[in-house]
Amino acid sequence: MGGNKTTEFSHLPLATNRPMECALTGSELLSCAYLNKGSAFTEKERDEFGLTGLLPSNVQSLEEQSKRAYSQFQSRSDNLAKNTFMTSLKEQNEVLYYKLLQDHLKEMFPIIYTPTEGEAISNYSSLFRRPEGVFLNVNEPQKVEQSLSGWGGPEDIDLIVVSDGEQILGIGDQGVGGILISIAKLAIYTLCAGIHPHRTIPVVLDTGTNNEDFLKDDLYLGLKQKRVRGEKYDKLVDTFIKTAKEKYPNAYIHFEDFGLPNARRILDEYTPKIACFNDDVQGTGCVTLAAIYAALKVAKLEMKDIRVLMYGAGTAGTGIADQIADAIAVESDKSREDALKQIWCVDKPGLLLQSMKDDLTPAQHPYARKDEEWKGKKTDSLLEIVKEVKPHILIGTSTKPKSFTEDIVKEMAKNTDRPIIFPLSNPTKLHEADPADLFKWTEGKCLMATGSPFDPVEYKGTKYVVAECNNSTTFPGIGLGAVLSRAKLMSPPLLVAATKALAAQAPALKDPNDGLLPDVINVRDISVKIAAAVIKKAKEEKLTQQEGIPDKDEELEKWIRAQMWDAEYRTLKKVEHHQATREAKGEAGPKGKKSKTQN
Ligand SMILES: NC(=O)C1=CN([C@@H]2O[C@H](COP(=O)(O)OP(=O)(O)OC[C@H]3O[C@@H](n4cnc5c(N)ncnc54)[C@H](O)[C@@H]3O)[C@@H](O)[C@H]2O)C=CC1
Ligand SMILES: CC(=O)C(=O)O
Ligand SMILES: [Mg+2]
């Protein structure tokens, strides 16, 4: 991760170059994942913190530890075993966990995130060993206050990721196992944007499950009842948000993988009131639009002329469509109404039509086409719709694997020189098409990005990079910007600024066979650029609450980097328990539920 931790910035609220105060000793210290250094504790620390005799004699470096952990990782027989190994490592030594991830980012990202994390989530109750995060029970809203207590004082939490587990990745209702998506997204915030891992809370709202397998499973750990809807559900959400904001007023709230009936509704309700973000709607919208900007440059197309076909008009699909509509309107100086006409949405029953209005979600309504325009035409076949619409861009967020078939793709290629095709459904097995097939069917002409990672594809001697179009390149930087500026709201102009900052980093702008989006390997630098763009825009919009944000770009980037957490062992300063101070404010107080000492 490599810090830029000059003393110049030591005074900043989230600077991490000061010694950490530690009240723990002996085996308690070894059991605290956040402070534990294992074999890397120095002789002096071993004496000072009562560790003498509790560790083998050879003092090792973090690099040596990472090497050993990597060989242990490699010895695990399959990806799920590797995922559980990583979970255990995180519970033992958090710095080493992030160091190992950083040393092998490309290889390990798919293990701790999509696709393997999806498998871990569906096996949550059988793999369960110890709890992490906050579990809020829909039948006990009165306990929300107590459940959210003990994570520190009002200044100590920057970010909360919350899921209700209803629509996890593309694998549907995972009930209480949804806690793992909150945990995984937070790990990505730390890895990719240096969000301080001890200033965050993962939360799951346990509102029941409609997953019959879980309802029948004796080992299932969540509420064994059908999902609660309506007032009682809304009360839990509202109690959670109000309590979280009362206790931790700085906390930026990230919603993840809520079901279709709730995702957009909750976002619309709270966006004008608090700094919040729905990753599936907004994160996915931003990253996809950034990839489209790059693809249009390569294809020499302009926003004002494009025709876009969305396949799967759920949370992610309509989120993407909205971002594209806004971009068309702005870039082409059109009304939003005219911009909407350039986007066609298809869902289970086929093309969205105005006659379906009673069955459409509020987010789908604006995309419903006039029935007269489609009279006598087949609206329930993607192939026929492609023939009619002649799209330049085809995006899949349907969870229906292999639905972009050879005839559909070839039909699309008849009408546009460089078909832009993004199969985005996760995990990998749900992708609407396989990259190798798409290159074959379009003779290497398609411009592609996928929801989960793929190796580059070779077609007739040319190597094409397949960009990963996953919100993971975007949400960490947006969150970092929101946290550091203490943004009051996450307003649309901030998201536009983030999208443009990401789009400017696309490797395809230099080499058309390279990725439409930057590689995850560079994600920390990308996050800095995105955070800087978000902060600058927030300042312009008068949405910042943090003092002293530098104006000049270079200074701003330094200011951001100085407050990003790094996977490095920090000097420990011994204090008595009652004196343990908080990193952020220098105030007395225990760390709370994560450990018995400060961060
Ligand atoms: N690449 C990325 O960054 C992201 C990818 N996704 C992926 O997108 C997919 C959808 O996620 P959400 O929008 O959250 O789910 P959702 O359930 O809100 O939306 C899925 C939509 O697809 C529709 N659908 C299902 N079968 C279909 C079919 N045969 N034909 C046409 N439409 C069909 C559903 O009716 C629904 O409207 C998931 O696989 C998810 O992993 C979601 C967010 C981010
Ligand atoms: C990437 C993501 O957020 C999803 O697939 O739901
Ligand atoms: Mg998601």
Side-chain angles (χ1 to χ4, degrees):
M1 295 182 184
N4 183 3
K5 305 284 159 76
T6 57
T7 47
E8 181 192 348
F9 289 112
S10 296
H11 63 285
L12 294 178
L14 296 181
T16 52
N17 59 354
R18 298 180 291 254
M20 282 198 296
E21 298 186 348
C22 173
L24 300 181
T25 55
S27 52
E28 269 199 321
L29 176 53
L30 295 178
S31 311
C32 170
Y34 183 60
L35 294 169
N36 183 24
K37 301 183 184 180
S39 61
F41 276 115
T42 62
E43 294 291 354
K44 188 166 165 283
E45 285 169 334
R46 293 175 187 212
D47 283 345
E48 201 179 349
F49 290 95
L51 298 168
T52 309
L54 296 181
L55 288 160
S57 55
N58 194 8
V59 175
Q60 293 187 315
S61 66
L62 179 56
E63 285 65 30
E64 285 166 330
Q65 290 179 317
S66 171
K67 220 164 133 189
R68 176 173 42 244
Y70 184 51
S71 78
Q72 292 171 351
F73 171 90
Q74 283 178 308
S75 74
R76 298 308 192 262
S77 54
D78 58 38
N79 287 347
L80 188 56
K82 288 180 171 154
N83 174 288
T84 54
F85 168 78
M86 293 305 284
T87 304
S88 299
L89 183 62
K90 189 163 171 242
E91 286 163 1
Q92 289 153 18
N93 181 335
E94 233 171 354
V95 170
L96 178 54
Y97 168 82
Y98 284 108
K99 168 73 177 156
L100 181 64
L101 279 174
Q102 165 207 328
D103 288 349
H104 305 276
L105 189 63
K106 209 68 184 149
E107 179 181 354
M108 295 191 178
F109 212 73
I111 300 292
I112 61 143
Y113 189 47
T114 172
T116 314
E117 189 60 16
E119 228 182 303
I121 293 171
S122 37
N123 289 295
Y124 177 72
S125 292
S126 55
L127 295 175
F128 179 84
R129 281 191 293 204
R130 60 190 283 182
E132 185 183 348
V134 172
F135 301 80
L136 301 178
N137 179 333
V138 73
N139 299 322
E140 299 179 331
Q142 75 284 5
K143 291 193 181 163
V144 168
E145 227 258 287
Q146 193 186 343
S147 309
L148 285 172
S149 295
W151 291 82
E155 300 288 327
D156 294 333
I157 297 297
D158 298 327
L159 169 62
I160 298 176
V161 176
V162 59
S163 179
D164 74 354
E166 184 168 3
Q167 175 51 57
I168 298 290
L169 304 167
I171 56 176
D173 191 338
Q174 299 299 322
V176 75
I179 189 67
L180 291 188
I181 200 68
S182 300
I183 293 170
K185 293 274 172 175
L186 282 173
I188 285 165
Y189 269 113
T190 299
L191 183 67
C192 302
I195 292 283
H196 200 305
H198 260 224
R199 299 179 54 83
T200 62
I201 313 179
V203 176
V204 68
L205 306 179
D206 189 351
T207 61
T209 179
N210 292 347
N211 185 323
E212 291 296 334
D213 292 343
F214 292 161
L215 291 173
K216 282 188 251 152
D217 180 0
D218 290 342
L219 290 184
Y220 179 62
L221 285 158
L223 281 176
K224 281 203 170 189
Q225 63 178 69
K226 290 270 181 195
R227 277 194 176 269
V228 170
R229 308 268 183 216
E231 234 174 85
K232 193 168 160 187
Y233 174 94
D234 289 350
K235 181 166 180 202
L236 182 69
V237 174
D238 199 55
T239 310
F240 156 68
I241 288 181
K242 287 201 174 116
T243 313
K245 290 307 283 185
E246 261 163 45
K247 287 197 167 297
Y248 312 111
N250 291 335
Y252 164 72
I253 312 264
H254 168 136
F255 299 107
E256 187 68 42
D257 291 350
F258 280 69
L260 187 55
N262 294 315
R264 182 66 77 101
R265 195 173 62 81
I266 294 174
L267 180 67
D268 291 346
E269 167 79 23
Y270 293 100
T271 293
K273 299 176 185 160
I274 58 165
C276 65
F277 172 81
N278 181 304
D279 188 31
D280 300 291
V281 178
Q282 297 169 307
T284 317
C286 289
V287 72
T288 309
L289 182 58
I292 289 176
Y293 275 126
L296 294 183
K297 281 253 159 61
V298 178
K300 300 192 173 52
L301 286 168
E302 290 186 37
M303 279 282 179
K304 68 176 173 40
D305 302 319
I306 58 170
R307 289 184 299 278
V308 183
L309 188 49
M310 295 298 315
Y311 185 68
T315 308
T318 55
I320 295 168
D322 285 357
Q323 293 277 355
I324 299 175
D326 288 343
I328 294 174
V330 171
E331 309 271 328
S332 330
D333 205 13
K334 288 188 180 180
S335 68
R336 191 153 198 283
E337 210 184 324
D338 281 342
L340 289 169
K341 291 185 190 144
Q342 293 179 228
I343 302 170
W344 286 257
C345 287
V346 178
D347 208 86
K348 270 187 203 153
L351 185 74
L352 301 189
L353 294 170
Q354 287 181 350
S355 56
M356 300 171 178
K357 70 176 186 313
D358 293 342
D359 300 319
L360 299 181
T361 66
Q364 290 173 336
H365 269 285
Y367 299 97
R369 317 290 303 194
K370 288 193 177 123
D371 292 70
E372 309 88 88
E373 290 170 10
W374 285 81
K375 223 176 192 160
K377 294 171 190 159
K378 252 176 105 52
T379 57
D380 59 355
S381 142
L382 185 59
L383 176 62
E384 296 304 317
I385 298 169
V386 167
K387 278 186 188 162
E388 209 50 49
V389 171
K390 301 185 178 38
H392 304 97
I393 303 178
L394 175 62
I395 297 174
T397 49
S398 66
T399 71
K400 174 127 191 285
K402 306 275 178 209
S403 40
F404 298 167
T405 54
E406 184 171 356
D407 50 354
I408 289 171
V409 171
K410 285 192 164 160
E411 180 61 38
M412 188 177 166
K414 278 186 198 163
N415 296 300
T416 180
D417 292 340
R418 305 296 308 266
I420 299 167
I421 306 181
F422 297 171
L424 298 186
S425 287
N426 293 323
T428 320
K429 63 176 184 221
L430 297 185
H431 276 25
E432 285 81 1
D434 189 84
D437 286 337
L438 290 179
F439 280 114
K440 198 166 70 193
W441 298 335
T442 61
E443 297 174 354
K445 290 200 179 127
C446 73
L447 295 162
M448 187 196 319
T450 50
S452 292
F454 275 88
D455 288 335
V457 172
E458 205 158 314
Y459 177 77
K460 292 199 173 162
T462 306
K463 202 163 136 191
Y464 299 91
V465 173
V466 180
E468 183 180 349
C469 182
N470 192 293
N471 45 37
S472 58
T473 358
T474 322
F475 73 76
I478 296 176
L480 181 64
V483 164
L484 294 183
S485 65
R486 300 284 178 223
K488 285 182 211 154
L489 300 173
M490 182 46 64
S491 68
L494 274 55
L495 295 174
V496 172
T499 305
K500 294 214 158 152
L502 177 62
Q505 311 290 312
L509 299 180
K510 291 193 186 123
D511 171 359
N513 294 339
D514 211 335
L516 295 176
L517 288 161
D519 195 280
V520 70
I521 206 88
N522 304 316
V523 70
R524 245 173 125 89
D525 290 333
I526 298 160
S527 294
V528 171
K529 299 274 179 220
I530 295 177
V534 167
I535 295 172
K536 273 171 76 173
K537 188 50 85 179
K539 267 180 106 175
E540 254 175 70
E541 303 272 312
K542 308 217 178 326
L543 287 173
T544 57
Q545 299 179 91
Q546 179 61 48
E547 307 272 297
I549 301 173
D551 287 323
K552 292 202 182 112
D553 287 357
E554 205 182 311
E555 280 300 297
L556 177 59
E557 287 196 14
K558 269 202 220 164
W559 183 88
I560 293 169
R561 284 182 199 276
Q563 299 184 83
M564 289 165 74
W565 186 89
D566 281 320
E568 290 166 354
Y569 288 132
R570 289 165 59 188
T571 309
L572 296 182
K573 185 175 152 203
K574 194 160 186 233
V575 292
E576 293 306 315
H577 199 161
H578 67 275
Q579 293 172 334
T581 56
R582 323 287 286 128
E583 182 163 80
K585 286 202 68 194
E587 280 176 356
K591 170 60 197 162
K593 288 182 178 166
K594 286 193 174 180
S595 82
K596 294 200 191 102
T597 190
Q598 63 89 51
N599 48 339

